[in-house]
Amino acid sequence: MPDLPDLIPLEIAQAHVLDGVTALPAETVGLADASGLVIAEPVRSLLTVPSWANSAMDGFAVRGSDIATASPTSPAVLRVLGEVAAGRPPEMGVEAGTALRIMTGAMLPEGADTVVPVEDTDAPAGASEIPATVAILAPVKVGDHIRLPGSDVTADAPLLGAGRACDAAAIELLAATGHGSVAVHRRPRVAVISTGDELVPPGRPLGPGQIHDSNSFTLAAQAAEAGAEVRRLGVARDTLEALLALLREAAAWADVIVLSGGVSVGAHDHVKAAFGTLGDLALWRVAIKPGRPFAFGRATVDGRDVRLFGLPGNPVSVFVTFELFVRPVLRRLAGHPRAFGRSTRVVRLAEPMRGSSGRQHITRVVLVPDPERPDGLLARSSGGQDSYMLASLAAANAMIFIPPDANLPAGAEVIAWELRDRED
Ligand code: AMP
Ligand code: MG
């Protein structure tokens, strides 16, 4: 690790953490397992879609020339020869003066070039009986309501590029174009460890001096939301041996290990020593509030790269440092082209805000529509900003970056990262 100043700027720390991080190897997964994974190689269509002409409506397949002048007062009356339903090839064609009842998605019969929606006929919609004749009450342009072969996708057309996340629309397209599986980057594996003799699992009674282990649940949820496969390995007691035992268990499986607590200079803080034993340690004091103490390390375990994050113990510091450092690494491992995936916006302060001395103050806020600017947003503090205060974190829908030593008036512009959907 290069020599760094005592308190290093956020962007420099982020660049170090991301240095050398590349997408995990590709593997082929079935579409049912592809959700959220990132496509590793460009995908082309295996099919022409639609593969054959079919009806876009429930109605009647006709010859357009038979109905060119149809109207309610002088309908074109056609003999109905039968029906074409979806999934079965037509048993007959359409000839002059005849029609076939046809369902949406059914193959267009031979001889037909137009579909008349059932609403433009005298046939009752949804009737089970096939009528002997049908009166067409409105002219339909030749070729209307027909989906032509290849009008959506042609065989071998490029569909999705590498780096595209498999969202619902991508999976739909893959499935419809003949793909049963897709090559994606492997999901990053994240092991989460809490440290501290004071920690008790949530839901259990607390003894004197004890608190609930909230961090490992926060981190597991954040990692899962970032697309990782997560294992919570529990709480390491405040001894180097206990910490090393859990770290070694984690390193046998994980790409990324995230610990919380035990990273500062307290007498019982063993994370730095443990990282140093397992691999290379870089310890930084990052110029942010909350989240100043921060340990980062790298280890090679059975030829695999393992990244080690020692986050501060305070729950809000955990949340914020995960956002700023761990999430971008997970996204890059997962194959996302943009490591920093949060929607970033310039917003205005609803109230004056002070920065902190020498550090960016990452402030929990609620973004609401700005009454003075169309499409603009105002940031309002979501509550107490100390790093142990969780109520304001759950209330926030964004975090904003107040520059070091700033003293900003209401209306000043700042950068916001949106953390979840707004409720307005
Ligand atoms: P430490 O860095 O270990 O001294 O922890 C700093 C603060 O974070 C202390 O108040 C701890 O009790 C608290 N803390 C540490 N780990 C957790 C955890 N897993 N869940 C909730 N709070 C924690
Ligand atoms: Mg501790």
Side-chain angles (χ1 to χ4, degrees):
M1 290 286 168
D3 285 342
L4 292 167
D6 180 46
L7 199 56
I8 69 170
L10 171 62
E11 294 71 17
I12 295 188
Q14 286 171 319
H16 281 299
V17 166
L18 280 166
D19 188 35
V21 179
T22 53
L24 291 166
E27 61 182 21
T28 299
V29 301
L31 292 191
D33 299 316
S35 180
L37 294 169
V38 178
I39 292 175
E41 296 154 16
V43 185
R44 291 177 171 273
S45 180
L46 300 175
L47 295 176
T48 291
V49 181
S51 297
W52 24 266
N54 68 89
S55 178
M57 300 289 276
D58 293 327
F60 290 84
V62 302
R63 299 168 83 112
S65 51
D66 281 351
I67 60 152
T69 60
S71 72
T73 48
S74 110
V77 179
L78 305 172
R79 196 153 56 84
V80 181
L81 302 176
E83 180 183 82
V84 214
R88 261 174 280 144
E91 283 163 16
M92 62 204 83
V94 170
E95 289 150 27
T98 70
L100 280 177
R101 189 162 80 168
I102 193 164
M103 303 298 142
T104 304
M107 286 179 91
L108 193 71
E110 197 80 23
D113 57 14
T114 305
V115 168
V116 183
V118 68
E119 295 83 353
D120 290 337
T121 73
D122 67 346
S128 58
E129 199 121 317
I130 302 170
T133 60
V134 63
I136 310 296
L137 306 173
V140 173
K141 259 208 313 245
V142 175
D144 262 10
H145 309 304
I146 288 173
R147 305 162 173 165
L148 290 175
S151 54
D152 187 7
V153 177
T154 51
D156 207 40
L159 294 179
L160 299 165
R164 166 68 187 253
C166 286
D167 53 15
I171 292 173
E172 172 91 71
L173 185 60
L174 290 168
T177 54
H179 296 274
S181 60
V182 59
V184 290
H185 294 288
R186 177 167 73 68
R187 206 179 273 286
R189 298 182 191 135
V190 176
V192 176
I193 299 173
S194 289
T195 72
D197 287 342
E198 73 278 33
L199 301 178
V200 173
R204 299 250 188 97
L206 295 174
Q210 296 185 323
I211 59 166
H212 291 300
D213 166 25
S214 52
N215 288 348
S216 70
F217 293 87
T218 313
L219 288 168
Q222 284 180 291
E225 192 256 351
E229 186 183 344
V230 188
R231 286 190 191 169
R232 284 182 47 256
L233 297 189
V235 177
R237 295 302 156 198
D238 280 325
T239 67
L240 182 57
E241 296 68 42
L243 187 52
L244 271 174
L246 274 192
L247 263 181
R248 291 208 166 99
E249 184 188 336
W253 171 78
D255 304 301
V256 170
I257 305 176
V258 189
L259 289 89
S260 65
V263 75
S264 36
V265 293
H268 305 285
D269 292 344
H270 301 293
V271 167
K272 290 165 278 176
F275 282 10
T277 307
L278 211 70
D280 296 333
L281 165 75
L283 175 70
W284 297 319
R285 283 154 48 86
V286 183
I288 52 174
K289 181 186 176 164
R292 175 167 45 187
F294 175 71
F296 172 68
R298 277 182 251 206
T300 309
V301 181
D302 304 330
R304 274 180 315 113
D305 285 335
V306 182
R307 285 174 167 83
L308 313 168
F309 289 90
L311 308 184
N314 278 311
V316 179
S317 310
V318 161
F319 182 92
V320 169
T321 50
F322 184 97
E323 273 293 322
L324 296 176
F325 298 107
V326 187
R327 190 171 189 273
V329 167
L330 297 183
R331 286 177 56 85
R332 190 161 281 174
L333 288 171
H336 289 285
R338 289 176 65 223
F340 298 98
R342 290 293 181 202
S343 136
T344 304
R345 312 192 36 155
V346 175
V347 301
R348 297 199 308 145
L349 295 183
E351 57 209 72
M353 285 193 196
R354 278 183 172 279
S356 52
S357 166
R359 299 192 267 167
Q360 293 196 59
H361 192 186
I362 293 141
T363 306
R364 289 146 260 165
V365 297
V366 180
L367 297 181
V368 293
D370 185 339
E372 285 169 28
R373 297 200 183 171
D375 301 327
L377 293 173
L378 280 183
R380 182 171 295 142
S381 166
S382 64
Q385 297 290 332
D386 277 341
S387 64
Y388 70 94
M389 290 180 160
L390 291 167
S392 60
L393 182 58
N397 60 15
M399 53 192 208
I400 57 172
F401 296 80
I402 308 286
D405 307 298
N407 189 1
L408 302 178
E413 291 188 333
V414 291
I415 301 281
W417 278 15
E418 293 193 87
L419 299 172
R420 59 186 171 87
D421 291 345
R422 294 200 313 278
E423 281 153 24
D424 55 67

